[in-house]
Amino acid sequence: MKKPVLLAVDDDPQVLSAIDRDLRSEFRRDYRVIRASSGAEALEIIKELNVRAEPLALVLADQRMPGMEGVELLEKTRTLFPNAKRVLLTAYADTEAAIRAINQAQLDYYLLKPWDPPQQLLYPTLHDLLDAWQATYRPRFQGVRVIGFQWSPLSHEVKDFLAGYMVPFEWLDVETNPDAKALLSSTGFETTDLPVIISEDGEALAHPERGAIAAKLGLASHASADLYDVVVVGAGPSGLAAAVYGASEGLKTLLIERNLPGGQAGTSSRIENYLGFPTGVSGSELTHRAWSQAVRLGTEFLAQEVTNLCIQDGAYKVLTLANGSEVRTKAVVLTLGVSYRTLDIPGIDRLSGAGVYYGAARTEARSCDKGDVYIVGGGNSAGQAAMYLAAYARQVYIVIRGETLAASMSAYLIEQISQTPNIEIMSFTEVKEVCGQDHLEELVLSIKGQREVRKARALFVFIGAKPSTEWLDGTVLFDKKGFLLTGRDLVMDPRYPTHWKRPREPYLLETCVPGVFASGDGRAGAMARVASAVGEGSMAIKFVHQYLDE
C-alpha cells in the first residue's frame, strides 16, 4: 500500500523549504511529503495522484499565490479528494479571509505564519487533522481501473479480457459511480472516449484494443526465437497441457492464443468433475494454475492470432500471425477448441455485449443483482452458469426446447439446480426475439407454442459449439462439421490416400499433414470434457517426440 501524501504549496521558495523540512521531520515515517510552488502545479499533482489511486491525506496551501489563491486551490481539491484535510497557511493580515473561507469553502483549519516552534504551533494541529482523516480513510483500489458504460459491448470486452488473464481490476460505471466522472476528468478524456483503462502506473488508454492491453500487461506479440520444436495453437485445457509437457520434456515450446487462456472451460464458474478437486475449481483458477506452470517450465507465450499454416522445405511448418510476423517450427499441436453458436433471432446482433452474452460472462454477474436472467441451453456449461448467476440474480430461467435436462447435463448439476430455489427450468421454450433500446430489456418467448413477453436483465447463450478451424481450410482435412480428422478417422476418410504420402500410418492425434497434431474439442471424435482435453494435449507431445525422432 502506498503511503498517504501530504502536499505543501507555497510560491515563496524559503517558506516552501521550511514547510517541507518540518513536515518530513515529523511525518515522513507514515506519509509521503510532496511540495509544489504554485496552485497550478499543485492541481496537476492532485490530478495525477487521483489517476494513480494514491491517497491524499492533507493539503497545506499558502493563501497569497499568483495565478491561484490558496482558498481556490483547496476548493478544487475537494472535487477529487473530498475527504482530504485542507489547511490554509496565511499571514495575520489575512485572518478574516481565512475565517470566511472556513465557513464558505469548508476548510478544516488555518495556520498563521510563522509557525515556530512547530512542536507547539504546527504539529499538534496537523496530528489532530490526520488522526481524523485516518479514522474515515478507506484505501482505494490499487491496480487497474476501468471506466465505462455498463451496456457498452467494448466495455464488456475489456472486462472479459482482464478477467481472462486474472488481472485484478476495479470497474467504475460512469452512470452510477460518483467517483467515475471525477476520475475520467482527471485523465483528460471525455465520455465519448469510453471505455478508459487506467493502469497501476497511472497511464490511461481510451478505446483500448486487445493488443494495447496485452502489451500493457507485458504479454509478448512477437516470437523471440527463429525456430521452435513445437508450437501449440490455442491455450485451452488441451493446449495448456501440451505446453506444460512439451516444455517439461525439453522441447522449445511456444504457445499462441488469440483470445483468452482457458477457452470455454476458462469461463466456467465451477468445474466439479475434474480429478483432484473434490470441492470443485473455477475455470479461471484452473487456467491460471496451468498457464503459470507452463511459463515456469519454459513455455513462451504469445497473445496473437494465427491466420495461416504452410509447409516449408517439406518439413518445417510456418505459421503466419495476424500482425504479419511468421513463426517457424518443426511440429505443431492444434488445440483450437470451439466457439458458441449464435442465436439467429431479431435484435440479437445489436444487443450482443449489452445484455446478451455468449458463454458465462462472469464479469457481468454482479450487474444482474435482483434482476431476472435467462440462460439458453441445457449442457453442463449452461448448468454451471445457472448455479453461479443464482447467487446474484433474483431469478434464473433455463430455457430448453426439450422436456428435461437429463439428456445433455451431468446428474450432479441437475441435482444442484433442483435444490436451488431461484432457478426454474422452462421446458418446450424458445427465445424468438430480444428487445431494448441500448441494452436488453425484454425477451419474446415461445412457451409450448404460446407467445409471451418477459422483462429480462440479461440473456446468456449456450446452444452448442462449432470448431474454430476455418483458417485451416485447404491445409488439413475436416469432417462434415468442420472438426479436424486425425489418426484412424483420417485413415477411414476417402480423401486419405491423396493427402497422406508417408510409408507409415498417421499417429493417433496426427492430421493429414505429418508433424501437425490436433487435440481437444476441435478434433473429430473428441470428448467434450476438461479431463479428456488435458489427456489429449499431454498425449500429443508423445507423438511430437516420435515425429521429431524420424
Side-chain angles (χ1 to χ4, degrees), residues 345-373:
I345 57 175
I348 195 78
D349 292 334
R350 184 172 57 86
L351 298 180
S352 181
V356 176
Y357 308 103
Y358 290 93
R362 295 180 62 196
T363 55
E364 307 302 334
R366 293 187 182 277
S367 69
C368 300
D369 184 32
K370 299 178 182 178
D372 291 349
V373 302

Side-chain angles (χ1 to χ4, degrees), residues 208-422:
E209 297 180 349
R210 286 193 172 193
I213 302 174
K216 196 63 185 173
L217 297 179
L219 301 174
S221 58
H222 290 77
S224 65
D226 295 329
L227 180 66
Y228 293 87
D229 292 321
V230 60
V231 172
V232 182
V233 183
S238 191
L240 289 166
V244 167
Y245 280 90
S248 68
E249 294 175 13
L251 298 178
K252 190 167 184 59
T253 305
L254 175 67
L255 176 62
I256 305 176
E257 171 56 52
R258 66 175 181 174
N259 290 320
L260 300 173
Q264 286 191 1
T267 66
S268 176
S269 56
R270 183 151 298 273
I271 301 169
E272 297 194 53
N273 57 356
Y274 185 60
L275 185 68
F277 294 89
T279 60
V281 62
S282 71
S284 59
E285 182 184 356
L286 185 63
T287 297
H288 187 68
R289 289 187 180 199
W291 182 38
S292 300
Q293 186 179 16
V295 172
R296 181 181 65 82
L297 291 169
T299 297
E300 184 181 336
F301 181 85
L302 286 188
Q304 267 295 331
E305 179 180 3
V306 181
T307 58
N308 189 48
L309 167 64
C310 65
I311 310 304
Q312 187 180 73
D313 300 329
Y316 293 115
K317 287 76 182 169
V318 179
L319 298 165
T320 303
L321 307 184
N323 61 8
S325 63
E326 292 184 343
V327 177
R328 294 176 73 246
T329 179
K330 299 174 185 176
V332 175
V333 179
L334 300 171
T335 63
L336 304 179
V338 293
S339 57
Y340 288 110
R341 296 188 183 278
T342 58
L343 270 178
D344 186 17
I345 57 175
I348 195 78
D349 292 334
R350 184 172 57 86
L351 298 180
S352 181
V356 176
Y357 308 103
Y358 290 93
R362 295 180 62 196
T363 55
E364 307 302 334
R366 293 187 182 277
S367 69
C368 300
D369 184 32
K370 299 178 182 178
D372 291 349
V373 302
Y374 289 77
I375 295 173
V376 180
N380 277 5
S381 296
Q384 290 160 352
M387 292 300 300
Y388 181 73
L389 291 166
Y392 300 94
R394 185 190 72 85
Q395 188 72 26
V396 177
Y397 297 95
I398 300 178
V399 177
I400 55 175
R401 289 183 293 182
E403 182 178 2
T404 70
L405 298 169
S408 55
M409 190 178 292
S410 295
Y412 79 91
L413 266 176
I414 296 175
E415 180 66 19
Q416 289 179 0
I417 288 170
S418 68
Q419 296 176 1
T420 306
N422 63 332

Side-chain angles (χ1 to χ4, degrees), residues 115-128:
W115 56 87
D116 190 50
Q119 291 79 6
Q120 296 178 15
L121 301 179
L122 180 66
Y123 297 154
T125 298
L126 296 189
H127 273 297
D128 288 345

Side-chain angles (χ1 to χ4, degrees), residues 95-118:
T95 301
E96 290 187 11
I99 294 173
R100 287 197 302 271
I102 290 176
N103 295 328
Q104 297 173 6
Q106 298 180 11
L107 302 187
D108 295 290
Y109 210 84
Y110 75 90
L111 290 170
L112 293 175
K113 295 186 288 187
W115 56 87
D116 190 50

Side-chain angles (χ1 to χ4, degrees), residues 7 10 52 63 79 85 94 106 115 126 152 185 219 257 310 312 315 320 332 371 384 392 435 442 447-448 457:
L7 177 59
D10 200 304
R52 295 203 305 259
Q63 168 61 6
T79 304
K85 297 302 179 183
D94 296 322
Q106 298 180 11
W115 56 87
L126 296 189
S152 160
S185 176
L219 301 174
E257 171 56 52
C310 65
Q312 187 180 73
T320 303
V332 175
Q384 290 160 352
Y392 300 94
C435 308
E442 294 179 335
I447 307 174
K448 297 180 180 179
R457 179 70 175 180

